[in-house]
Amino acid sequence: MKFVIKLFPEITIKSMSVRKHMTKILQQNLRTLFRRYEISADVQNRWDSLIVIVNRTDDASRRRAIQILSHTPGIAGALEISEYTFTTLDEAYQRVRDAYREQVEGKTFCVRIKRNGNHDFTSHQAEQYMGGGFLKETGALKVDLHNPQVTVLAELRDDKVQVVKQTIKGLGGYPLGSQGEVLSLISGGFDSTVASYLMNRRGLKTHFCFFNLGGSAHEIGVKQVSHYLWSQYSESHRVKFVTVPFEAVVAEILQHVDTSQMGVVLKRMMLRAACRVADSMHIPALVTGEAVAQVASQTITNLAVIDQIADRMVLRPLAAMDKQDIIDIARRIGTESFAASMPEYCGVISVNPTTVGDRRKVEDAEAKFNMDVLEAAIAAARIERIDDVLSGTESGLENVQIISTPSVTDVIVDIRHPAEAADAPLVLTNNPVITVPFYELEQRVKGLVNDYPQRRILLYCQKGTMSKIHAHHLNEAKRGDFAVFMEA
């Protein structure tokens, strides 16, 4: 298998030295990911693209390769290609024709050719020649340059013709690790997960900091969604998950801070603690999921008062976004189902909260707060590697059964995002495969169990993380007999 990796456009307009640096990082990130999944692959760096040659041809390796290429920051898109040598334009045409003959049968089409090298024809002439050939020698309906049913894609590079078998959409953004590191304050809801994803996509290695306001259920949920974000979009780098026990801080606020100032004071305490954690980890910036005016503590004046205690940059990528836009991104990246069911702690809710931040009033309110309580919370912070956060017995995920060889009575449910499933369909010989996107699973699970009574349902996703979480949740709720299918 061979893939041509197209760089994020903003990378291509950088200076020569910056572009070289970024493509080198992207190349290393891809090598790390393929090595992590024990897939032998050669990643070659060309000036305008990368070439990935996967030395295995089985379907499981292909699906894994597509997953990696579609979820790695810095990639605008990837082309799965077949490559042949040619000496004449007609030889190149024959290769393209044979690859697309069945696809264009009875359909409108157009031919798009990119060319690099010294040839006695232009790209436009190659398109005209091949288009005419398709009309004469295949069952194609007609040429449609504006809205074709099939677009025939190929690249001619010197004496090689690369016939595009499939186009895979990438994340875009910058290669992870090319822009430094940040610490994201994550609660597991829509906003903080989307903010963390956007930082990863922008090339920032994103660590997670969770303030536990009271409850192991919330901590487990946040660990699950943080692990999911890492495994999907930043697995090329090891990051940390920090838990800061904030129960005593909340109790101190409830006892000694005026109710109208509680929300702002809590946010300032979190920033103080996050700055200390970031300093110990040598991280220069924090990330929050706050959007202007979304809640009382997020008015522009309150945010200004909150930021006054921070000794480093606070990034708010969602500052000007609407809530529905944030939810739409969460649905697309796979965190919506986590956020919708995330336990929340609402112990610090101000009555008639202030919306006009006043630094003097906030400082007067904080004067009654015992800062030793905050110091104790910071001292008790627990730092874990993100790849270890789900290994503890408290998550319950270790109890989920993993199946590599399904029995003939098992039903496989592919819960990947529809676009991901379309890029690399799961096909099994002896078992039915039903496609139910993870964000529809909760609503459709009753129908699945009724349609397949007394049968085990195996959930499938590319990496298994999402499948384990959903299977565990459904088994705990006694919704049926669920396990996870993972290819050997």
Side-chain angles (χ1 to χ4, degrees):
M1 289 179 285
K2 193 170 187 176
F3 300 88
V4 177
I5 310 305
K6 300 297 183 181
L7 302 175
F8 179 53
E10 288 184 26
I11 297 175
T12 65
I13 61 174
K14 301 294 184 184
S15 66
M16 183 179 295
S17 59
V18 172
R19 180 170 174 174
K20 184 177 180 181
H21 175 66
M22 287 191 178
T23 54
K24 185 177 180 180
I25 291 176
L26 179 57
Q27 180 184 28
Q28 184 56 50
N29 289 351
L30 288 173
R31 286 174 173 168
T32 298
L33 289 167
F34 281 108
R35 187 166 55 248
R36 177 181 293 275
Y37 289 99
E38 299 180 345
I39 297 176
S40 174
D42 182 22
V43 184
Q44 302 170 3
N45 192 346
R46 296 197 314 208
W47 170 246
D48 59 344
S49 62
L50 298 180
I51 299 294
V52 175
I53 302 172
V54 179
N55 300 317
R56 292 169 61 179
T57 58
D58 58 283
D59 289 341
S61 295
R62 180 177 176 274
R63 282 192 288 271
R64 178 70 70 189
I66 290 174
Q67 164 79 16
I68 289 172
L69 298 178
S70 61
H71 286 70
T72 299
I75 296 176
L79 305 176
E80 185 180 6
I81 65 168
S82 296
E83 188 174 71
Y84 309 95
T85 301
F86 76 97
T87 55
T88 67
L89 178 57
D90 188 66
E91 288 180 356
Y93 155 69
Q94 291 178 40
R95 293 294 191 180
V96 177
R97 176 202 61 199
D98 292 346
Y100 279 91
R101 185 189 294 274
E102 293 183 3
Q103 294 183 49
V104 301
E105 180 75 30
K107 296 178 181 177
T108 61
F109 75 100
C110 72
V111 179
R112 299 296 183 210
I113 301 295
K114 289 187 177 180
R115 189 184 60 81
N116 188 289
N118 296 318
H119 303 104
D120 57 1
F121 52 83
T122 65
S123 298
H124 183 60
Q125 288 171 334
E127 291 171 349
Q128 288 181 317
Y129 184 89
M130 293 189 187
F134 270 81
L135 288 174
K136 292 179 182 178
E137 300 180 11
T138 72
L141 187 61
K142 66 175 182 178
V143 174
D144 185 342
L145 298 178
H146 302 291
N147 189 30
Q149 292 173 285
V150 177
T151 300
V152 176
L153 297 173
E155 296 193 13
L156 307 178
R157 289 182 169 272
D158 299 319
D159 64 341
K160 301 288 193 305
V161 53
Q162 297 175 342
V163 183
V164 179
K165 299 166 61 177
Q166 183 178 9
T167 301
I168 301 158
K169 183 175 175 57
L171 277 188
Y174 291 120
L176 193 67
S178 65
Q179 306 303 313
E181 302 183 33
V182 292
L183 181 66
S184 179
L185 280 60
I186 189 163
S187 66
F190 292 101
D191 302 338
S192 62
T193 55
V194 170
S196 300
Y197 160 77
L198 291 175
M199 292 295 97
N200 277 328
R201 185 180 180 275
R202 203 61 183 173
L204 289 152
K205 181 179 175 181
T206 303
H207 304 267
F208 302 99
C209 184
F210 167 64
F211 292 92
N212 194 338
L213 305 183
S216 60
H218 191 186
E219 180 176 351
I220 292 169
V222 175
K223 283 182 174 180
Q224 289 174 344
V225 71
S226 299
H227 186 277
Y228 170 81
L229 280 169
W230 169 75
S231 69
Q232 290 291 309
Y233 304 109
S234 59
E235 203 173 14
S236 59
H237 288 66
R238 294 286 177 84
V239 302
K240 301 294 179 58
F241 184 94
V242 184
T243 303
V244 184
F246 243 48
E247 297 94 333
V249 174
V250 170
E252 183 73 10
I253 290 174
L254 290 172
Q255 292 177 44
H256 299 292
V257 175
D258 181 80
T259 182
S260 65
Q261 304 294 335
M262 283 183 177
V264 173
V265 170
L266 177 62
K267 292 289 184 68
R268 281 166 61 99
M269 295 299 170
M270 287 180 172
L271 272 196
R272 284 188 174 98
C275 286
R276 293 276 292 280
V277 171
D279 184 61
S280 69
M281 298 171 65
H282 308 290
I283 296 174
L286 307 177
V287 176
T288 79
E290 293 160 321
V292 173
Q294 191 173 109
V295 295
S297 65
Q298 294 175 21
T299 62
I300 198 70
T301 50
N302 275 340
L303 290 174
V305 171
I306 291 169
D307 280 3
Q308 285 168 352
I309 55 86
D311 62 2
R312 59 204 60 227
M313 178 184 294
V314 180
L315 298 170
R316 293 186 172 90
L318 311 186
M321 292 184 66
D322 297 332
K323 188 67 175 185
Q324 188 57 52
D325 293 334
I326 297 170
I327 293 173
D328 289 343
I329 295 175
R331 181 177 300 119
R332 176 167 55 82
I333 66 176
T335 60
E336 181 192 31
S337 59
F338 292 96
S341 60
M342 189 66 62
E344 292 189 11
Y345 181 79
C346 302
V348 182
I349 300 178
S350 298
V351 177
N352 298 320
T354 180
T355 58
V356 180
D358 186 316
R359 180 175 180 176
R360 181 184 58 80
K361 290 182 179 179
V362 172
E363 289 177 345
D364 287 345
E366 288 183 343
K368 303 172 185 177
F369 184 95
N370 181 0
M371 287 296 178
D372 289 341
V373 175
L374 179 64
E375 291 296 324
I378 296 171
R382 186 172 70 256
I383 300 177
E384 302 171 82
R385 287 188 356 180
I386 191 65
D387 45 327
D388 290 337
V389 297
L390 298 185
S391 61
T393 56
E394 75 277 1
S395 73
L397 298 187
E398 73 283 353
N399 298 322
V400 176
Q401 190 175 11
I402 309 297
I403 306 297
S404 58
T405 305
S407 70
V408 293
T409 59
D410 289 338
V411 177
I412 313 299
V413 178
D414 186 343
I415 67 170
R416 292 176 296 168
H417 191 282
E420 187 181 343
D423 282 340
L426 176 65
V427 179
L428 298 177
T429 303
N430 299 316
N431 300 87
V433 177
I434 302 167
T435 300
V436 180
F438 53 84
Y439 49 80
E440 295 180 3
L441 187 60
E442 187 69 26
Q443 292 74 35
R444 294 177 56 182
V445 67
K446 183 177 180 180
L448 286 170
V449 173
N450 289 338
D451 290 342
Y452 300 96
Q454 308 302 317
R455 296 177 69 175
R456 185 172 59 179
I457 297 176
L458 306 184
L459 304 184
Y460 171 81
C461 66
Q462 191 66 54
K463 295 188 176 181
T465 304
M466 179 73 85
S467 299
K468 287 180 184 178
I469 292 169
H470 278 286
H472 171 64
H473 170 71
L474 294 170
N475 285 333
E476 287 288 297
K478 301 187 184 305
R479 304 290 296 275
D481 184 8
F482 293 87
V484 170
F485 170 59
M486 292 189 69
E487 295 167 297

